[in-house]
Amino acid sequence: MKTPIYLDYSATTPCDPRVVQRMLPFFTETFGNAASRSHAFGWTAEAAVEEARSQVAQLLGAHPKEILWTSGSTEANNLAIKGTAQMYREKGNHLITAITEHKAVLDPMKHLETQGYEVTWLPVDRKGHVDLDQLRDAITDRTILVSLMAANNEIGTLHPLAEIGAICKQKGTLFHTDATQAAGKIPLDVEAQHVDLLSISAHKMYGPKGVGALYVRRKNPRVRLTSQMDGGGHERGMRSGTLNVTGIVGMGEAARICREEMATEVPKLMALRDRLEQRIMKALPDAVLNGDPQARLPHLTNISFPYVEGESLIMGIKEIAVSSGSACTSASLEPSYVLKGLGLGDELAHSSIRFSLGRFTTEQEVDFAADRLIAEVTRLREMSPLWEMVQEGVDLSQVKWTMH
Amino acid sequence: MAYSDKVLDHYQNPRNVGSLDKDDPNVGTGVVGAPECGDVMKLQIKVDDHGSIVDAKFKTYGCGSAIASSSLATEWLKGTTVDAAAEIKNTQIVEELSLPPVKIHCSVLAEDAIKAAIEDWRKKQAAAKGAAAETK
């Protein structure tokens, strides 16, 4: 077993070797510009792009013509949100999202607020769910778009897409979902789930970095977007720029593998995740599972370890690559806004670790990670004044701390 | 974030982890920080009759730099006098551990913990003297 062990698949995934093999000729031999209509180099590239488009469409239950290539999910989210907001400005100026969305949704929304749009920021419950009645009540005849993610990137909570989509359809507003974390992990079907716009990224599903896609519904209703990148009129004028043919080919292959192997891959991931979780919980019974224990991604678990701080914990388990909701891992010194959005106290948010498993994770790695983590939490607790106080029977919520 | 070798060393082999009897009149205890902020330091000193610090212990909840700052502080405290300890500045800790700007608050916390421990010890001493005077 090689260390460090990678348990941060929600941050990014390695390319599947099959994806790399499929991409290689497009760097050197079939390098044409997909927009070159006058020669075989261009035709070959275009054919490959269209095949990939079809693969991505199949993963989502969409038509290939509804897939638009982008540089990743951040661009796809920006295009979906700003693109519809600008296109449908005559209908209204209202958008709805939730406080636990990814920054690539929150920040475009905040940007729109400075441009005269109004945004409703839905709160979430302890498990990370929005209240669907509250969503329904928030939609008015001036609402352009509802944007709610398929799966949360920090805690893995799944939003009920079909129910949200049905509400939006009934109320006559567009529904965008950021499915970056969900694609390839849970079944997505834009028809059954009434999704109008959907963002995905290749590098979260064993494809290359720097390529993504936006699904844009073509009928019932036909969704139109104001382009955010102007130029040669590629992608039906919605996203100009020479296509990243190599990356697109990789994304297509990655989507194909995910679709064909999901049925066998997901149960395996879930078993490994449960094994990790159970081993940790058994040894550290006061650890807290964040998010929804049922409706969540199969490969992710987010756990808080009370009385120890996240960054020091991560430092101690350097043989394991994971993420933390701790303030100290960011420059802002603020703990995870997602965990705080759930109503978690700062101290629990500070001590949280996100483990995300993937295609190449083994049982041996999971056991090693659990054991290292348990040992380090135990060591840090021995060093923790909070743990000592709790052992002495002190109620930490009653202590008068000196804020700094 | 890359840590300096000294931070890593203190984190992996922290000096003087533990607790002294907080009810001992010769022991001063300082607890600073808050769980919400991501760091709490408890620093204790044991002082002899000549004002020399004969022992120092710490427990810290916080990032690696916070643990290293308090560990280093206990190293410096042991064997020095209360008066000299009161002069320790956070900038010395920053320099010794090569802390980056975002971690300077860890060193400030360590300085505060030292001051709080001394303050606690002084209060206890004054109370003990007062009690001694009353019984006379």
Side-chain angles (χ1 to χ4, degrees):
Chain A
M1 193 181 55
K2 239 172 56 186
T3 58
I5 291 165
Y6 192 71
L7 294 181
D8 205 11
Y9 280 81
S10 288
T12 193
T13 57
C15 274
D16 189 299
R18 291 169 287 183
V19 168
V20 179
Q21 280 309 312
R22 184 87 179 83
M23 287 170 72
L24 282 177
F26 290 88
F27 284 103
T28 49
E29 296 155 33
T30 43
F31 60 87
N33 186 329
S36 296
R37 293 284 159 80
S38 52
H39 50 68
F41 295 89
W43 304 332
T44 317
E46 192 191 10
V49 165
E50 293 316 311
E51 192 195 333
R53 205 187 293 277
S54 164
Q55 297 287 15
V56 168
Q58 283 183 61
L59 182 67
L60 309 175
H63 189 279
K65 285 192 174 156
E66 297 175 308
I67 303 300
L68 214 152
W69 301 113
T70 69
S71 62
S73 280
T74 294
E75 189 193 338
N77 288 337
N78 269 270
L79 180 54
I81 294 164
K82 294 174 184 166
T84 52
Q86 289 163 10
M87 178 58 74
Y88 296 95
R89 185 68 183 83
E90 279 180 15
K91 184 199 176 194
N93 69 337
H94 181 227
L95 300 97
I96 299 172
T97 190
I99 57 171
T100 46
E101 291 291 312
H102 193 273
K103 291 276 187 195
V105 166
L106 298 180
D107 287 358
M109 291 281 184
K110 282 183 195 156
H111 178 83
L112 289 173
E113 277 187 326
T114 69
Q115 312 277 310
Y117 290 86
E118 281 169 29
V119 178
T120 298
W121 307 91
L122 295 173
V124 296
D125 64 18
R126 187 77 188 196
K127 292 177 176 174
H129 294 293
V130 295
D131 179 339
L132 295 185
D133 289 329
Q134 203 174 356
L135 167 66
R136 194 178 287 112
D137 292 345
I139 301 173
T140 72
D141 53 4
R142 294 182 57 74
T143 306
I144 299 169
L145 183 75
V146 170
S147 181
L148 291 169
M149 67 209 317
N152 184 275
N153 51 302
E154 284 193 36
I155 52 175
T157 296
L158 305 179
H159 279 149
L161 295 187
E163 288 174 62
I164 294 169
I167 291 170
C168 292
K169 195 176 170 67
Q170 186 224 335
K171 290 276 207 166
T173 187
L174 296 177
F175 173 36
H176 165 249
T177 190
D178 176 356
T180 309
Q181 296 289 344
K185 306 295 191 312
I186 60 164
L188 292 170
D189 185 325
V190 291
E191 291 307 321
Q193 293 166 329
H194 312 292
V195 175
D196 298 310
L197 297 130
L198 181 149
S199 309
I200 53 172
S201 182
H203 79 101
K204 306 282 193 194
M205 44 191 243
Y206 309 95
K209 294 168 184 62
V211 56
L214 178 65
Y215 156 81
V216 186
R217 177 173 288 281
R218 211 166 49 127
K219 46 182 190 209
N220 304 320
R222 179 185 183 84
V223 178
R224 292 178 304 142
L225 296 172
T226 301
S227 67
Q228 304 297 305
M229 186 103 79
D230 301 316
H234 306 75
E235 300 297 274
R236 290 181 287 137
M238 289 194 272
R239 200 277 188 180
S240 288
T242 297
L243 292 180
N244 170 8
V245 176
T246 316
I248 288 167
V249 165
M251 182 165 189
E253 178 70 355
R256 180 193 68 79
I257 297 169
C258 280
R259 178 171 49 84
E260 289 176 3
E261 299 185 354
M262 205 188 299
T264 48
E265 188 170 17
V266 166
K268 186 195 138 209
L269 279 173
M270 211 183 279
L272 283 174
R273 191 268 317 270
D274 292 348
R275 183 185 177 98
L276 174 73
E277 208 167 78
Q278 282 158 13
R279 209 171 167 112
I280 291 171
M281 290 299 188
K282 200 174 157 215
L284 305 167
D286 48 7
V288 180
L289 181 69
N290 297 315
D292 187 336
Q294 271 84 42
R296 60 169 164 162
L297 287 170
H299 67 299
L300 185 152
T301 182
N302 186 310
I303 306 176
S304 287
F305 300 94
Y307 325 121
V308 303
E309 192 274 334
E311 189 201 341
S312 61
L313 182 53
I314 282 198
M315 206 171 151
I317 51 170
K318 58 180 185 304
E319 308 94 329
I320 315 166
V322 290
S323 290
S324 167
S326 164
C328 293
T329 52
S330 68
S332 67
L333 297 181
E334 279 294 317
S336 154
Y337 67 91
V338 172
L339 296 177
K340 289 184 75 175
L342 303 182
L344 235 67
D346 279 12
E347 64 274 30
L348 277 183
H350 275 299
S351 70
S352 74
I353 303 269
R354 178 189 72 179
F355 303 87
S356 47
L357 285 55
R359 189 170 286 165
F360 308 107
T361 306
T362 65
E363 212 172 81
Q364 198 191 5
E365 288 178 330
V366 161
D367 290 352
F368 176 84
D371 292 346
R372 278 296 302 121
L373 179 101
I374 293 161
E376 193 59 23
V377 169
T378 308
R379 181 181 92 96
L380 289 171
R381 275 184 182 173
E382 291 308 314
M383 223 190 280
S384 166
L386 304 181
W387 175 248
E388 184 182 64
M389 288 177 191
V390 169
Q391 300 312 301
E392 286 169 356
V394 175
D395 177 357
L396 294 181
S397 65
Q398 301 301 314
V399 177
K400 231 182 117 203
W401 303 103
T402 54
M403 296 303 220
H404 59 100
Chain B
M1 192 186 303
Y3 300 96
S4 71
D5 290 344
K6 281 181 181 164
V7 169
L8 283 173
D9 180 38
H10 277 282
Y11 169 78
Q12 278 153 5
N13 313 294
R15 315 337 179 223
N16 309 308
V17 173
S19 295
L20 300 169
D21 177 7
K22 62 179 185 296
D23 298 324
D24 182 336
N26 295 321
V27 169
T29 303
V31 180
V32 295
E36 291 81 3
C37 305
D39 29 37
V40 175
M41 275 181 201
K42 186 187 84 165
L43 199 145
Q44 294 182 300
I45 50 172
K46 185 170 188 167
V47 184
D48 70 8
D49 297 340
H50 311 290
S52 292
I53 298 173
V54 292
D55 203 359
K57 296 277 184 201
F58 85 95
K59 284 202 174 188
T60 290
Y61 160 88
C63 64
S65 302
I67 290 171
S69 295
S70 38
S71 170
L72 176 68
T74 57
E75 250 188 348
W76 283 353
L77 289 171
K78 273 171 98 167
T80 188
T81 64
V82 171
D83 293 338
E87 298 299 313
I88 294 175
K89 292 278 173 293
N90 81 291
T91 48
Q92 295 166 274
I93 295 170
V94 171
E95 200 175 320
E96 175 68 16
L97 296 176
S98 314
L99 294 181
V102 295
K103 297 295 181 186
I104 286 175
H105 72 279
C106 298
S107 69
V108 173
L109 207 58
E111 183 187 321
D112 289 351
I114 295 171
K115 295 212 155 65
I118 293 172
E119 176 69 19
D120 182 57
W121 173 78
R122 286 205 167 121
K123 264 191 201 153
K124 277 183 175 172
Q125 292 297 305
K129 273 182 195 145
E134 266 175 39
T135 49
K136 265 182 194 171

